[in-house]
Amino acid sequence: MLRSSPHLFGIAAMLAATGPMRAGDAFAPIREHMVREQMESRGIRNPEVLRVMRMTPRHEFVPETVRRMAYEDCALPIGYGATISQPYIVALMSELLIPEKGQRILEIGTGSGYQAAVLAQLTGRVYTIEIVPELAESARRTFARLGYANVIVRKGDGYHGWPEAAPFDRIIVTAAPPQVPQALVDQLAAGGRLVAPVGSGWGQDLIILEKKADGSLHRTVVAPVIFVPMRTGSR
Ligand code: SAH
């Protein structure tokens, strides 16, 4: 598989020289390179997030046509107008969320399932909602194939959240709404954190919304980002 990309093969060969490649995971050296060059060098520090980024097989979440680019420093198309986010953005949003073991996390915008799989290894259970039925179905199959048993996928409109499973300790939105949907604010637990790209233009602000113990909200703007817009109603 590596031979299909001279660039990736070069990186793999270079890193393989520094240590044995783990059997069955030819992509491990490429992920190591991704974590060092794209994450650690840009300030991602949470050791658990870095550990999980080193372990999660991103190439298993992208279509065959873009597989050779799975660990490149960019978002990739996954069909139906959706993209798998740039690896750094997945790491950044995971870090900003401060996930902990045993928590319940809601994700809006399952897409490829990669972000949900990363979070599944950092927390108790991930509930993820995808509006495009084909993507929801394909992510469900990917979770089953790779053994991420603590991710539950629902096909539906994330604007409504997942009231039956609320409240959530953490909520991550990976498509951009013009404002944070009220249902998601309502379904965030006291003491919880929500991370979302918010804005109606082509680019948005990545924000953190904290719900304090008394229910008051505190909003922090982190960085400019570009996400696909969150769709309304049926697709
Ligand atoms: N987290 C994804 C990135 C997905 S891109 C990953 O790791 O690959 C954003 C996704 O949000 C797309 O799949 C898009 O179909 C979905 N989406 C857009 N509007 C939505 C809505 N209202 N409810 C749920 N999902 C939505």
Side-chain angles (χ1 to χ4, degrees):
M1 218 183 294
L2 291 173
R3 287 188 188 281
S4 65
S5 163
H7 172 58
L8 293 184
F9 182 67
I11 295 169
M14 178 183 76
L15 291 168
T18 66
M21 290 192 11
R22 253 185 294 149
D25 192 356
F27 287 89
I30 301 174
R31 278 199 298 277
E32 179 61 34
H33 187 264
M34 169 190 79
V35 168
R36 287 191 196 163
E37 298 298 317
Q38 301 177 32
M39 294 161 195
E40 291 179 333
S41 71
R42 292 176 185 154
I44 303 294
R45 290 284 173 265
N46 183 319
E48 278 298 287
V49 170
L50 294 168
R51 180 183 67 79
V52 167
M53 298 307 301
R54 281 187 165 91
M55 284 178 49
T56 312
R58 183 171 162 96
H59 61 281
E60 299 277 2
F61 291 85
V62 301
E64 187 64 48
T65 47
V66 294
R67 188 148 298 167
R68 68 190 170 77
M69 296 179 71
Y71 296 98
E72 304 266 317
D73 191 13
C74 55
L76 294 170
I78 55 170
Y80 309 96
T83 55
I84 179 172
S85 305
Q86 181 190 6
Y88 168 69
I89 292 292
V90 174
L92 175 65
M93 290 177 83
S94 302
E95 181 167 82
L96 293 174
L97 217 47
I98 318 184
E100 285 165 24
K101 295 284 179 208
Q103 288 178 334
R104 300 153 72 82
I105 300 189
L106 173 66
E107 179 191 38
I108 307 302
T110 315
S112 68
Y114 177 65
Q115 174 78 72
V118 166
L119 293 173
Q121 297 165 81
L122 296 166
T123 195
R125 192 170 287 276
V126 178
Y127 297 79
T128 180
I129 306 179
E130 171 55 55
I131 204 164
V132 177
E134 292 87 345
L135 289 174
E137 198 39 54
S138 118
R140 193 175 280 134
R141 282 197 303 273
T142 305
F143 297 136
R145 179 166 54 85
L146 300 176
Y148 296 105
N150 58 338
V151 185
I152 311 175
V153 187
R154 167 184 278 190
K155 172 179 56 102
D157 184 352
Y159 275 98
H160 307 304
W162 193 320
E164 311 88 284
F168 298 98
D169 304 296
R170 302 288 186 260
I171 300 180
I172 179 170
V173 184
T174 67
Q179 292 118 47
V180 178
Q182 187 57 42
L184 301 186
V185 178
D186 294 344
Q187 290 171 30
L188 186 62
R193 285 167 86 79
L194 174 151
V195 174
V198 175
S200 44
W202 191 63
Q204 306 94 23
D205 284 329
L206 187 61
I207 65 129
I208 303 170
L209 195 68
E210 294 167 89
K211 193 186 260 189
K212 305 290 184 194
D214 65 1
S216 62
L217 299 170
H218 183 257
R219 181 186 169 112
T220 314
V221 176
V222 179
V225 285
I226 301 172
F227 275 78
V228 300
M230 197 165 152
R231 306 181 191 186
T232 42
S234 61
R235 48 187 293 213

